[in-house]
Amino acid sequence: MPSLNGSDPGLDLVALRRRLAGTRGRDYWRSLEEAAGHPEFARLMSEEFPAAEGWSDASIDRRRLLQVMAACVALASVSGCGPEKTRKQLLPYIREPEGMVPAVPRFYATAATLGGFAEGVLVKHYQARPIKIEGNPDHPASLGATSHWSQALILSLYDPERSQMPLQRGVPASEQAFVSALFERRSELLRTHGRGLRILTGSVTSPTFAAQMAALLRTFPEARWHQWEAISREAVADGTTRAFGRPLDAVLHVDKADVLLAVGSDLLSWAPGHLRYARDFAAKRRATETGGRMSRVYAIEATPTLAGSVADHRLVLPPDDIMTALGSLAMAVKAAPEGFAPAPSPWLAAVARDLVAHRGAALVHVGPELPAEAHVLVHAINEALGARGHTLDMIEPVAVGAVNQLGSLGELARDMNAGAVDTLLILDVNPAFTAPADLEFAGALAKVPFAVHLGPYVDETASRCVWHLPATHDLEAWSDALAYDGTASIIQPQVRPLYLGRSAHEIVDLLQGSISPDGMALVQNTWRGRAPAGAPFDGFWRAALRRGVVPGTAAKPVDVPLRGDAAAQVKLPAGAPRETLTVLFRPDDGLWDGRFADNGYLQELPRWHTKLVWDNAALIAPRTAERLKLRGDDMVEIAQGGRTVQMPVWILPAQAENCLTLPLGFGRRVAGNVGHGTGFDLYPLRTSDTVWRAAGVSVKPTGRRYHLVSSQHEQTMAGRDMVISAPLDQFAHDPDFLHKMDRRDPEAPTRSIYPSYDYPRYAWAMAVNLNSCVGCGACVVACAAENNTPVVGKEEADRGRLMHWLRIDRYYSGEPDAPGTYFQPVPCMHCEDAPCEVVCPVQATMHDSDGLNVMVYNRCVGTRFCSNNCPYKVRRFNFFGFTRHDPRLPDAWNPDVTVRDRGVMEKCTYCIQRIREAEIAADREDRRVREGEVKTACQAACPTQAIVFGDMNDKQSAVAARKASPLDYQLLAELNTRPRTTYEAHLRNVNPELEEE
Amino acid sequence: MSRTADAAPILGPRASLADVTDRVCDVVVRQPAPLWWWVAVGLSGAFVVLLVVAASELFVVGIGTWGVNIPVAWGFALANYVWWIGIASGGTIISALFYLTGSEWRRATNRIAESMTLWGAACAGLMPIFHLGRQGLFYWLFPYPNVMGIWPQFRSPLLWDFFALICYIFASILFWYLGLVPDFASMRDRAPTTPWRVFYGLLALGWRGSASQWKTYQTVYGILACLLAPMVVSVHSIVGLDFSGGLVPGWHSLQFSPYFVFGAVYSGIATVLLLMIPVRRLYRLETYITGRHLNVLAKLMLVCGLMLTYSYGLEAFMPFYSGNIFDLHMFLNRLYGHYGATYWVKIALNCVLPQLLWFPAVRRSEILLMVLALSVIVGMWIERYIIVVTSLYQDFMPSAWYVYAGTVWDWSILLGSVGLFFTGFLVVLRFVPIVSISEMRETVHEHVGDRP
Amino acid sequence: MANGLGPGADLAVKVGLSAVALGLVCLGLWGWGGPWDDYSTQRNIVQPQPVPFSHRHHVSGLGLDCRYCHTAVEVSSNAGLPPVQTCMTCHSQIWTNATMLEPVRQAYATGKTLRWNAVNYLPDYVFFDHSIHVAKGVGCTTCHGPIGDMPLTWKSASLYMSWCLDCHANPAPHLRPHEAVFDPNWRRTPDTPSGEALLRAYHIHPETLTDCSVCHR
């Protein structure tokens, strides 16, 4: 029976003791301190030690408190041993919740947010216990897909290291104590009309929160609301404002773009709506499904992005040259006057011609890392290309008051230092870690007498504020949020807060004087006003909750004319001298701005291009490394304007010369056991005027070395056909070219000596389209979340023991300066003549009559011959009891999948649990499984529909169609293993003018 | 020279029936254990302790303490296994095959060889069990009626390897013990104290040396020899199958069976030499283990070395002949890749150095013989290491390539098993006649007659 | 005698050796048969329960349908354990003072639920699904034994894998018509359709039922 069902679960002392059992010395106390967070301790202490009553709000000697707690644990261990361990017990409900069927999952819609923007998700429940995140097909920003960040949500929901009780100056305190303190402040503030009251949040799209803030500012006219997102989209907003005269957001229609130019673009990686854009993008790249037509994609960038890596032509330029290039391009497409910029290079000229030739079907996208000028130029270019109304629309800004965040944060810091701020509410942001270094934000915090931090973890900011309150997890509280196109979603809690948690809404409501804030009421109030008049609100509300989107809230395009002088007003930079180095700050592929540092899945997700895990590094171009005499793993000191950081370098192909890319988010100083001590903190180098890039940087080797761990050690295909790539023309001329290049050894027999199987009922198979895959890694995390694969940590990863069932191989071809990049997801191939099956002495890996190569964990004795004999090396071995040492709560595992123990082999099963569930449901009704009833976790998460899964015996199925494609090929076909997983060859839609490049 | 070397007599000058028994028995039953014995036992015993520690660590913490990873999921354990089983087989060849050929020189050496086989096989037997992820469940490889209602998988080489190993170990024990029965009897009769008499008496199984007993004895011994000689070949063919049964480049080859048999005999004979030379000196058995024996074994070692070199040649030829890109990559990688050095060391130790054995002078020098024997033994371990590791670390998927290195625990297991081997051998040395008395008496009888 | 071994030594050794041999044989036999005795399988052993619930009384006596309490059996892998509320539907009216039922009333009042001891359960790596067995004509009593006649509940099958496989390899003899699935004392009668007929009717494919992946995921 799920312990979360009903009221607050209470601290499991048995579990705590188990945790403590393994720990010694410092760790013991550390674990205790974690536990200190839990309200249960307050109760327990008052029971066991009446004397300790009221300690928590007095500032008491910490050691003493810990001693007392140690005693509590000891006592608990005396009282905690009962018969329940000896026999397996069954606990019935008292009253069964309506419609609750044991062991049958239910799905509830909600939304996950990143940088304020919503991505619709469905949460899978077992007996009221969230188990897995899926995309919401009805949500425009998801269409059923999810990002790897959303997939990792479940892990963080159950993270035992989440903040678990309020802290006053670092000492556990009761929430009542805080509330009374807050009310005291409030009465004070009411007198002063809120002078000295400041609220700091991240970017906000929540209508409810916006309304609350508006109300709050009415109550406290002199209060101020500041916003800060470390991964700032300010250049976008600023550029748009300058181009159109007022703030607007662009909504792209990538599905209409036949020619796409991505300039330092985050289109496919983290732009609001990136999942949707990736979906539309991929749909235009699958030549076999579009009648041989394919969009052509160009990219100009200084450091590899996903968009750039899948582009047909990529031009690698240093940042300054990119501006100039945009200028030339603007000129070439008549968006800027002659002489506005140097004449375009042949490459640019060709691109310009191609863009102009596809007027109305062309689109240029530029990422937030380029300055506002770039955005102005691109708006002008798009206008000149007639993109508006076709490949993009302008809408009213989605985020609330998200202009000039940097300025407002600076102002806040100044006022704090000046002592003008006496009450500061920091809601779910971590400025002490992410604020620009020149603001000295952490220091300034000390000057605020009543600084309150609301956050899911005790982080850098929490530890510097007078008060810290545990924030509810995204899946624990009521809220609402808008998607990139303005579509609203209601965020409904999936579970009662596991720990004492408050949402930002509730805190603001408290400040408004409400005694018992009620998140649901707040959100409902917002939507009462907006619900269609006449119809009963209740119906509207339930519908919105069920679908996960509020119908008809997508923003309408607005027709604001572009300012005529938009392009002309732009000042192009004078090209900086070649030899000076530039650094580019980027969010980390996994940790984003650092907020996900405590999530093992994301720490261990191999980074898109470097394939690094558990670390960040200064990414540097091969030539530059050569010039600076640097090798990978060399520790360097990066200095700029008197600020320095030390970190290792990593040589990265397709990186622009003379600029280093620094992924932010690592090097967290105050974090849990997972996030602590991984990578290097780069914020100290990042100031208000160098948020995205800093020029004039000096890099000098320290002589020391560091050990970075990557999940892939060979960068090329070593002359083998792992990814088969060909120009679109070749496919056009001869669709069958692939089968003509015979990769099988003519001598080799085509049949196995063993009798072949026949598959009377189903023949499950997978097809991966390499023209769609953009390498984002959502599938990797989805697989881990679905299949209970453990997180192994840096050391084990370094020893070649990553447990990912699905990996994304990344290969380079050609010149290291501007190479071709190929992504290839590799799950188990489920060979029909599987080499692994014949060598297992105990029948632990077998063929089943659906053609699956199944793994029976409990039969495995661990000879590991199957892995040696697997040419695709997709098998993973539990060298240690990884799952035994996994800190996650028992509730966090997927009950449909066996949790593997030490010494057994495991691998991708095509999500056998989902297949069986569907087959059983079908068999109950005496029918066949229908197309689409089984989706593997990776397939469901994939934003680009690169992965298709289904029954080959059903000739109508999508997978059968893919297998019939002339581009379909088997990996290592020459081995005659007859894999069930096949790939669609990669095509490049090259521009003949640029062919010779 | 070679004539003189070959002409070395098979018996020393003072050989006589009585002398055989005295020399061989007295060191065991009459004299107290010499100092060198205690030192040696102490030393090897220390390594046994190391083995116990390493094994405990393995069972408690898990296979992860070793260097194995994905892609190189097999490492030291498999190399050790093949190495030990090879050493063991060498002994069997000498004692069984050359029994059948009726070679006279065997009589003085077979006891040493068999004892070596015994402990070599013991060490070999440990490795496959150690290397399992769940060691406790090794018996699942055995087809026995069980509540799961399933059988092991008979297509797997590992299964047959398991069978082969078990049969081989039992047969070796039997052969060794049977050969000992008459000697135990003579020990019984010469034992000074009753406890020893009872001890050897029980082991002698009531042997009286009657003609009828001898008749049966000879028959059974002959049959066992007939079984064991081919068994060496079968065991190693099956061990070879562990590799050639896989499709890994560097494994997937038909030559493994002969290749492994050559290698096995090679390392086996080297080990016999390594053990025989000191034993002969320490137990003053020069009369019965003469230059002739060393000479013969040295020649055998040379022959095996040449056969193995041929296999290496074939191994090098095939990738180029087939033109298979995976095999080519693997082979060139063996020569020049991350583990390139090991390959050249292997060639030096197994192919080049042993060529010295062409010179009779070398064959006469006990020191040089020991050095060469040792180098061969080391070389053969390296060979197995190369076969296991360099084939796996870069096979088909470039993205999965990764390197392997043994950890301190891998080395502990290896050294520990060496300790176990020597400890076992020393115990045999102490309690068992190390030259077959009955067979030596035959030799003496044939050469010098029944002179007292 | 001189060698310290008496004339009986030979005999003694022979006897000793044969004893050892015999011992090994016995060990083997025990290893073979041992797992099947009731102690190892827990078959026919009544587990202590907070309330001495009698299936005989409720099923055979009162004629309650299995599904009255085990509501999920037709739709879920888990047959479902009746919530305390279900007990109280009747026992708030009858036997309201029976001391035997005190724990139930307590649970209902306090909200601290009952703790039943599991009688039949499978290890975590086995995924058994009630619904499909019921749908394909496998009766409750096929696995749970004469549950309708159990005054207290005990396990009646070993639940060993070989036991599962016996049926999965050859389901026909164990199948019943749909209407008989929940009948605790159903017996095959001359006019019951044959197992093979039912096999066809239910579209059961025995050749697929022994796949490892049917139960292990």
Side-chain angles (χ1 to χ4, degrees), chain A residues 720 798 801 809 837 839 902, chain B residues 60 66 153 395 399 402:
Chain A
R720 307 175 179 188
D798 182 33
R801 294 168 180 182
D809 293 346
E837 287 167 10
V839 295
R902 191 182 94 189
Chain B
V60 174
W66 291 359
Q153 152 146 253
D395 60 352
S399 61
Y402 198 37

Side-chain angles (χ1 to χ4, degrees), chain A residues 90 96 100-104 127, chain C residues 66-83 120 128-132 134 140 144 182:
Chain A
L90 307 170
E96 196 156 49
M100 169 80 65
V101 182
V104 173
Q127 264 126 324
Chain C
C66 308
R67 289 161 289 186
Y68 182 80
C69 299
H70 304 290
T71 48
V73 73
E74 287 177 302
V75 294
S76 165
S77 60
N78 182 328
L81 192 61
N120 295 292
F128 176 83
D129 190 295
H130 276 93
S131 66
I132 191 65
V134 170
C140 305
H144 293 290
F182 298 100

Side-chain angles (χ1 to χ4, degrees), chain A residues 570-773:
Chain A
V570 172
K571 301 275 163 295
L572 292 179
R578 273 274 155 274
E579 292 318 302
T580 67
L581 293 172
T582 312
V583 296
L584 308 170
F585 295 102
R586 292 285 181 279
D588 177 71
D589 302 350
L591 306 195
W592 187 241
D593 61 359
R595 72 184 61 175
F596 297 114
D598 283 301
N599 191 301
Y601 285 158
L602 295 174
Q603 286 272 10
E604 203 157 283
L605 171 71
R607 303 307 186 251
W608 296 326
H609 291 93
T610 60
K611 295 292 162 191
L612 289 175
V613 295
W614 291 96
D615 268 310
N616 58 345
L619 312 178
I620 184 170
R623 282 178 199 276
T624 318
E626 211 172 304
R627 187 167 62 73
L628 300 175
K629 304 197 175 30
L630 291 173
R631 296 165 303 158
D633 281 5
D634 279 349
M635 283 294 278
V636 294
E637 182 174 84
I638 304 173
Q640 197 261 353
R643 308 175 182 278
T644 66
V645 292
Q646 292 199 346
M647 68 186 308
V649 296
W650 184 263
I651 296 174
L652 180 64
Q655 171 82 353
E657 279 186 58
N658 300 323
C659 68
L660 289 74
T661 300
L662 308 185
L664 297 162
F666 277 94
R668 290 284 305 277
R669 292 189 171 72
V670 185
N673 288 326
V674 175
H676 196 269
T678 62
F680 301 84
D681 180 8
L682 305 173
Y683 285 104
L685 203 62
R686 191 188 194 215
T687 60
S688 313
D689 43 14
T690 65
V691 167
W692 281 105
R693 57 179 272 237
V697 175
S698 79
V699 172
K700 65 170 193 295
T702 62
R704 285 180 298 109
R705 307 260 303 158
Y706 182 81
H707 188 53
L708 291 164
V709 174
S710 159
S711 70
Q712 185 177 340
H713 307 87
E714 172 64 39
Q715 312 303 331
T716 73
M717 291 183 233
R720 307 175 179 188
D721 315 320
M722 292 303 145
V723 174
I724 297 181
S725 178
L728 180 61
D729 306 354
Q730 185 177 357
F731 174 62
H733 293 141
D734 175 9
D736 222 20
F737 75 96
L738 190 66
H739 297 132
K740 296 205 177 115
M741 52 185 278
D742 186 13
R743 288 151 59 244
R744 260 216 193 82
D745 168 5
E747 305 294 306
T750 50
R751 286 295 317 123
S752 158
I753 64 165
Y754 295 113
S756 69
Y757 305 83
D758 58 345
Y759 306 104
R761 309 188 64 202
Y762 305 102
W764 301 110
M766 182 177 282
V768 182
N769 191 322
L770 297 177
N771 292 305
S772 296
C773 179

Side-chain angles (χ1 to χ4, degrees), chain B residues 202 205-206 208 213, chain C residues 7-21:
Chain B
L202 287 175
L205 295 176
R208 292 187 312 283
Q213 279 185 334
Chain C
D10 269 10
L11 184 61
V13 170
K14 284 174 183 153
V15 172
L17 289 177
S18 0
V20 171

